[in-house]
Amino acid sequence: MKNFWFKFFHLSISEWRGIFLLAILIFFISLLPYTLKNHYKPTALNFDDLDSISILLQNNRILALASRDSLFQTNYKTWGVNSINPFPFDPNTISANDFKKLGFTDKQTQTFINYRSKGATFKTKNDLLKLYFVDDDIFAVLAPYILLPDTITYSNVKTTKKTDKAKVQIELNAADSIDLIKIPGIGKYRAKKILELKNKLGGFIDYDQLKMIYGFNDSLIETLKPYLTINPYLIKKININNANIKEMAKHPYIGYNLAISIYNYKQNHGNYKSIEELKNLKSVNDSIYHLVLPYITVQ
């Protein structure tokens, strides 16, 4: 039994040395916290240093962004100028396809078309600078090819309009209200009255017929003549062989009584073979005959 316990606790010299060294190591490790506590004192946090670091980082970020933007702008300008293929064009009428051929992208072309579709017009070359993607460099390339004036002198524009208006000549029997109001001295009201009389007569054969409208005197008609022409072949005539009394009576030169006479004569003698047969009517003298002659037909 004694030998058993002796063998169980028996250690060699090297093993005892290891145990001794381990004990010394444990001892020094246990003293380490006390040693560090006495020799290490944490320094207070300096917020001024943090502010300096923050400012430095912010400045670096700003410089990086500025460098990126500068590079982007340089590339954009280089792309814009190098991509432009100028040819003569009017920005008010150029198609989307042709605008793209100038060198603009699909997005820029669509922006241009949308801008113009909202009612925008280009009056001078400089108006093209209103497009955000047209900078000074691109404009300098396009300017010689833009079919617009550099500037507009409004006094000259007014003079031109008056001159053009004076050159206008309207065919009175074919004119509508839009045509008539182009003539100096004829507004919407007078244009309306002219058209009403034209529809009643069937057309004009002479300028003096305008005197049938209230307010149209010799002086006014003389000022209108340079702007008017009359084509008597455009007159709408009444076929007295087919028209009834009511239709003929609407004409200012015929009226109800003459319409009855014309109709009764046809009923008694058959259709008119010529307009001259009207002279057989007691109510038709030479004056009335020549007055209605341009407005009736038997065919």
Side-chain angles (χ1 to χ4, degrees):
M1 185 68 177
K2 183 178 180 180
N3 291 333
F4 171 78
W5 289 108
F6 178 79
K7 291 180 180 179
F8 182 80
F9 288 103
H10 177 73
L11 298 174
S12 64
I13 296 175
S14 60
E15 289 174 337
W16 281 109
R17 288 177 180 173
I19 292 172
F20 178 73
L21 292 175
L22 180 61
I24 294 174
L25 180 61
I26 292 173
F27 175 75
F28 281 107
I29 290 174
S30 63
L31 294 177
L32 186 61
Y34 300 98
T35 303
L36 293 176
K37 183 178 180 180
N38 294 329
H39 291 83
Y40 174 75
K41 294 182 179 180
T43 57
L45 187 61
N46 190 339
F47 289 97
D48 291 336
D49 292 340
L50 289 178
D51 290 340
S52 299
I53 294 172
S54 176
I55 292 172
L56 180 61
L57 292 174
Q58 184 69 17
N59 289 339
N60 289 338
R61 181 174 180 274
I62 292 173
L63 289 174
L65 291 174
S67 177
R68 185 196 67 180
D69 292 342
S70 176
L71 180 61
F72 171 78
Q73 291 176 359
T74 301
N75 291 337
Y76 172 77
K77 290 183 178 181
T78 303
W79 172 86
V81 173
N82 292 338
S83 300
I84 295 300
N85 301 308
F87 54 82
F89 73 99
D90 183 346
N92 293 304
T93 58
I94 189 172
S95 65
N97 188 44
D98 287 340
F99 190 79
K100 192 185 300 183
K101 289 180 181 178
L102 286 170
F104 294 105
T105 65
D106 291 341
K107 182 178 180 181
Q108 291 166 345
T109 301
Q110 189 59 49
T111 300
F112 167 74
I113 296 300
N114 292 341
Y115 176 71
R116 197 172 63 181
S117 65
K118 292 179 180 178
T121 57
F122 300 86
K123 297 179 180 178
T124 65
K125 293 182 179 181
N126 287 333
D127 286 345
L128 202 67
L129 288 169
K130 294 178 181 179
L131 301 173
Y132 76 89
F133 49 83
V134 177
D135 58 18
D136 292 337
D137 293 336
I138 295 176
F139 178 76
V141 175
L142 291 175
Y145 300 90
I146 302 174
L147 302 178
L148 292 174
D150 294 324
T151 58
I152 292 180
T153 304
Y154 288 96
S155 59
N156 292 339
V157 173
K158 291 180 180 179
T159 303
T160 302
K161 286 184 178 180
K162 290 181 179 179
T163 303
D164 292 341
K165 205 168 187 179
K167 293 179 180 178
V168 170
Q169 275 202 320
I170 303 297
E171 206 301 307
L172 195 54
N173 288 327
D176 57 18
S177 59
I178 296 176
D179 294 325
L180 292 173
I181 61 177
K182 294 177 182 178
I183 301 173
I186 297 182
K188 292 183 179 180
Y189 176 79
R190 285 178 173 171
K192 177 183 177 182
K193 292 300 180 181
I194 291 173
L195 293 177
E196 287 177 354
L197 179 58
K198 183 186 75 170
N199 292 333
K200 290 179 180 179
L201 291 172
F204 297 95
I205 60 171
D206 189 87
Y207 298 109
D208 286 341
Q209 289 176 294
L210 293 172
K211 294 179 183 179
M212 297 172 65
I213 303 173
Y214 178 79
F216 279 70
N217 52 34
D218 291 334
S219 176
L220 176 59
I221 293 173
E222 286 300 317
T223 62
L224 297 179
K225 282 183 179 180
Y227 306 97
L228 298 172
T229 61
I230 293 178
N231 183 358
Y233 292 101
L234 297 178
I235 291 175
K236 296 179 180 179
K237 298 185 178 184
I238 299 173
N239 188 330
I240 57 177
N241 284 326
N242 297 330
N244 57 38
I245 295 175
K246 185 177 180 180
E247 290 171 341
M248 290 187 287
K250 289 180 180 179
H251 197 282
Y253 293 161
I254 297 177
Y256 186 75
N257 292 331
L258 182 55
I260 292 177
S261 298
I262 294 173
Y263 184 81
N264 288 338
Y265 184 89
K266 184 188 71 170
Q267 292 296 101
N268 295 327
H269 300 86
N271 286 345
Y272 292 90
K273 296 179 177 60
S274 69
I275 297 176
E276 288 185 352
E277 289 186 61
L278 286 179
K279 294 180 179 180
N280 297 329
L281 301 178
K282 294 181 180 180
S283 57
V284 176
N285 55 32
D286 288 340
S287 176
I288 294 176
Y289 176 79
H290 290 290
L291 189 63
V292 301
L293 182 62
Y295 296 100
I296 60 176
T297 182
V298 296
Q299 297 177 350

